Amino acid sequence: MVNDRQSLDLTPFARPPGGVEWRISQAPVPYPDSVAGMEARVADIAAGRASELVWLLEHPPLYTSGTSGKPADLIEARFPMFQTGRGGQVTYHGPGQRVAYAMLDLKRRRPDVRAYVASLEEWIIRTLDAFNVRGERREDRVGVWVRRPDKGLGHEDKIAAIGVRLKHWISFHGIAINVEPDLSHFSAIVPCGVADHRYGVTSLVDLGLPVTMEDVDVALRRAFVEVFGATSARLPEATI
């Protein structure tokens, strides 16, 4: 079933109150460090001490469990598991996956969580479109999906995950797009609680596209501007 968030008006999110800072971490960022960095930045944005921020990074191999996570969704503890305050269930993060943490002031943009999630989906969908990949929303499944008729009737694979948290109407956490992760690492969990055998996990490289992380970063930035508005340049650095 196609997600009815497709029909939401996303226009207000394309009129930001100012430029958005854009950062890229070159080395994998430990999960606790990323959460601490986001928490600090959210506090600064809420207090008017800092601009909004998009932070692009990769994590070392790990699992995170959101507010709807269940212990049974961890099949095998191959990597560390972190409890997190974001929405959603259990997911994997690791090298080859582009994580984009978005710290945006929704009070000034539009205080509508449902429309914000739809905007994140649209950001992913437009990014994938740059590589001629058709990403789609689903009403009964979180994230962005691609159809896989080569695997059988009704088969679809998840290519990107979404998990958000708000504090004082400042968003944090965000999206994760599978560029070239080790997909076998997803087999140790029930990804986002979806156990149906028709629904798997894929990546851009798994789909046969020789895409680099740098290619994805360019596409992410272009699509972000289309959905959320202009960004400001910032040289890559290791941490917030």
Side-chain angles (χ1 to χ4, degrees):
M1 182 183 300
V2 175
N3 197 309
D4 65 0
R5 288 189 296 277
Q6 182 75 40
S7 62
L8 287 175
D9 178 14
L10 308 182
T11 305
F13 282 107
R15 298 180 187 140
V20 181
E21 186 179 334
W22 194 266
R23 290 189 179 182
I24 304 174
S25 290
Q26 302 293 355
V29 179
Y31 191 74
D33 293 353
S34 70
V35 174
M38 286 189 287
E39 291 270 10
R41 185 62 173 233
V42 165
D44 285 344
I45 294 171
R49 295 188 297 265
S51 64
E52 297 175 314
L53 172 68
V54 173
W55 186 14
L56 304 186
L57 54 86
E58 295 174 80
H59 286 301
L62 57 90
Y63 300 115
T64 65
S65 181
T67 55
S68 301
K70 304 177 181 66
D73 288 342
L74 179 63
I75 300 170
E76 179 186 347
R78 297 182 194 171
F79 306 114
M81 168 71 82
F82 295 92
Q83 300 295 323
T84 179
R86 62 157 174 80
Q89 301 185 34
V90 175
T91 194
Y92 166 77
H93 294 305
Q97 183 187 71
R98 175 51 87 210
V99 174
Y101 289 139
M103 285 146 271
L104 304 178
D105 188 347
L106 302 191
K107 184 182 291 186
R108 299 179 68 186
R109 288 172 173 268
R110 180 181 177 186
D112 185 328
V113 177
R114 191 161 171 265
Y116 176 59
V117 170
S119 294
L120 292 177
E121 291 171 335
E122 185 67 19
W123 183 20
I124 296 168
I125 288 168
R126 294 191 187 199
T127 299
L128 297 175
D129 185 62
F131 308 105
N132 296 312
V133 173
R134 181 179 178 180
E136 299 183 29
R137 301 172 172 90
R138 291 293 177 261
E139 180 67 24
D140 57 341
R141 284 170 272 133
V142 180
V144 173
W145 298 76
V146 294
R147 302 186 190 210
R148 297 302 301 269
D150 54 309
K151 292 187 174 182
L153 182 65
H155 283 249
E156 298 183 344
D157 284 345
K158 188 173 188 175
I159 195 167
I162 297 172
V164 301
R165 185 178 179 184
L166 300 178
K167 184 176 287 187
H168 307 300
W169 282 107
I170 310 298
S171 69
F172 55 122
H173 298 279
I175 67 173
I177 298 177
N178 294 332
V179 181
E180 192 179 8
D182 186 336
L183 296 179
S184 70
H185 293 169
F186 286 92
S187 65
I189 60 172
V190 180
C192 299
V194 179
D196 192 315
H197 75 279
R198 296 173 300 167
Y199 307 137
V201 181
T202 191
S203 69
L204 288 168
V205 171
D206 182 55
L207 294 174
L209 298 167
V211 175
T212 67
M213 198 66 74
E214 290 74 20
D215 294 332
V216 172
D217 290 348
V218 170
L220 273 167
R221 187 159 186 166
R222 183 180 299 116
F224 183 91
V225 170
E226 294 172 357
V227 176
F228 293 101
T231 66
S232 57
R234 182 67 180 259
L235 292 176
E237 56 187 64
T239 59
I240 283 187

